[in-house]
Amino acid sequence: MLTRKDFAGRERPTWCPGCGNYGILTAVQMALAKHNIAPHEILIVTGIGCGSKLPHYMRVNGFHTLHGRPVAVATGARLANHGLRVMVVHGDGDGYAEGLSHFVHAARRNINIVDLVQDNRIYGLTRGQYSPTSEQGKRTPSSPEGSIDRPVNPLALALTAGATFVARGYAGDPKHLAWLIGEALEHPGYALLDVLQPCVVWNRGYAYEFYQGRVYKLEEEADYDPGDREAAWRRAWEWGDRIPIGIFYRDPTLPTYEEQVPTLREGPPLVHRPVERLHPDQVEALLSEHC
Ligand code: SF4
């Protein structure tokens, strides 16, 4: 029986006191323990940003990649070893700006990974520039007159791209978030989990006080059906006095990418197969054909 302590790293987090990333770290550890996924059975891939330091503070396999590239690296890792659970953890800048195309293509391909986005609606690590999810008119050091851009709606975009699992959590409710992470980990296919993550230093307008009393849980709505994509689309645009969290959409029936690749379907994961070496004559034939 695993507990949260089995995933505790040796380093102490350097996040600002009160940062929403503490709640996310707790929720990830709770979910892995509850689903009995041992530290060697999970890989957490991160990009660049405050929250991307998360695997530094855990006892798991971790891969800290380039800005905007963790979904690409996670895709490669999962295809090379489809016996490994793979989770991406990165911020809204990394996921919805620098990494936007990877997000869309992973969703439409149904790559079997969890994509957890710490959405604080700001670039925190670089001291408060507006991000793809910042509201229009946001005044920041990089938009002193107010941001002109309309924000990305990650949930609507994921639904449009064909994601088979679309959810939103809240860092101020780690228990509920842990449940969502567990559901995402068990989902066969690409799972987007956008997490409302207060940045208490650079985006004080969206601190805990803003979300408390506004967030409500979709699973507590009597008539909500997460199998209804159009209903999910309508809820994805709800933002104001009421902000939905929970599973917006789930379709576990579509095949994953790896299930459709003949080489991966047959036999063990690639990493467990022997490397077949070419005979020098074969190398010579290839060189003469292509060089
Ligand atoms: Fe968290 Fe914001 Fe501090 Fe970064 S700057 S650690 S996101 S509170």
Side-chain angles (χ1 to χ4, degrees):
M1 181 79 178
L2 294 166
T3 69
R4 263 190 65 200
K5 284 191 183 156
D6 292 305
F7 300 93
R10 277 180 293 186
E11 303 295 323
R12 294 185 65 175
T14 55
W15 295 316
C16 308
C19 175
N21 284 322
Y22 288 99
I24 295 174
L25 174 63
T26 299
V28 171
Q29 293 173 338
M30 286 168 71
L32 292 173
K34 173 138 193 255
H35 288 258
N36 213 27
I37 299 169
H40 69 278
E41 294 173 321
I42 176 93
L43 167 67
I44 297 184
V45 186
T46 58
I48 299 298
C50 295
S52 284
K53 295 185 211 154
L54 184 134
H56 299 202
Y57 312 135
M58 289 187 66
R59 189 172 149 260
V60 291
N61 299 300
F63 193 154
H64 201 154
T65 69
L66 301 174
H67 204 7
R69 304 294 171 248
V71 169
V73 171
T75 298
R78 176 70 196 188
L79 297 184
N81 186 2
H82 59 274
L84 188 68
R85 311 277 191 130
V86 180
M87 180 190 283
V88 171
V89 177
H90 54 164
D92 46 296
D94 195 276
Y96 304 143
E98 288 81 7
L100 182 78
S101 65
H102 298 299
F103 157 42
V104 169
H105 293 301
R108 77 179 177 85
R109 289 175 178 144
N110 208 22
I111 304 289
N112 201 350
I113 59 173
V114 175
D115 189 0
L116 188 155
V117 181
Q118 300 142 314
D119 191 352
N120 55 22
R121 316 183 81 204
I122 204 83
Y123 280 94
L125 185 69
T126 47
R127 303 172 67 86
Q129 298 81 9
Y130 75 100
S131 86
T133 49
S134 296
E135 72 277 15
Q136 204 169 24
K138 180 94 181 161
R139 288 180 186 271
T140 71
S142 58
S143 55
E145 304 295 328
S147 159
I148 297 167
D149 306 359
R150 283 178 293 155
V152 163
N153 182 327
L155 305 180
L157 189 53
L159 287 164
T160 306
T164 53
F165 185 102
V166 179
R168 181 195 278 143
Y170 170 44
D173 189 345
K175 206 168 154 194
H176 182 255
L177 181 57
W179 170 70
L180 285 173
I181 293 169
E183 294 296 302
L185 280 164
E186 298 301 339
H187 175 73
Y190 176 83
L192 174 73
L193 178 49
D194 184 81
V195 181
L196 305 171
Q197 180 244 316
C199 170
V200 295
V201 173
W202 301 110
N203 207 4
R204 292 185 186 164
Y206 294 95
Y208 299 93
E209 297 75 21
F210 174 83
Y211 292 116
Q212 296 302 139
R214 281 186 168 88
V215 292
Y216 72 93
K217 294 170 180 162
L218 284 172
E219 62 274 15
E220 292 176 359
E221 300 284 290
D223 59 343
Y224 191 71
D225 172 12
D228 182 343
R229 188 194 283 259
E230 287 183 23
W233 173 265
R234 286 192 294 276
R235 297 276 182 166
W237 290 101
E238 188 177 8
W239 185 271
D241 291 341
R242 299 189 85 219
I243 299 173
I245 58 174
I247 299 171
F248 285 62
Y249 182 68
R250 168 156 56 185
D251 178 1
T253 64
L254 287 180
T256 63
Y257 187 82
E258 70 210 27
E259 285 169 338
Q260 299 171 80
V261 178
T263 314
L264 299 178
R265 259 198 326 247
E266 300 150 6
L270 293 181
V271 289
H272 296 309
R273 299 187 200 180
V275 178
E276 287 182 20
R277 298 189 188 284
L278 292 176
H279 189 275
D281 291 347
Q282 292 172 297
V283 175
E284 209 47 55
L286 278 170
L287 286 175
S288 58
E289 187 182 340
H290 297 287
C291 299

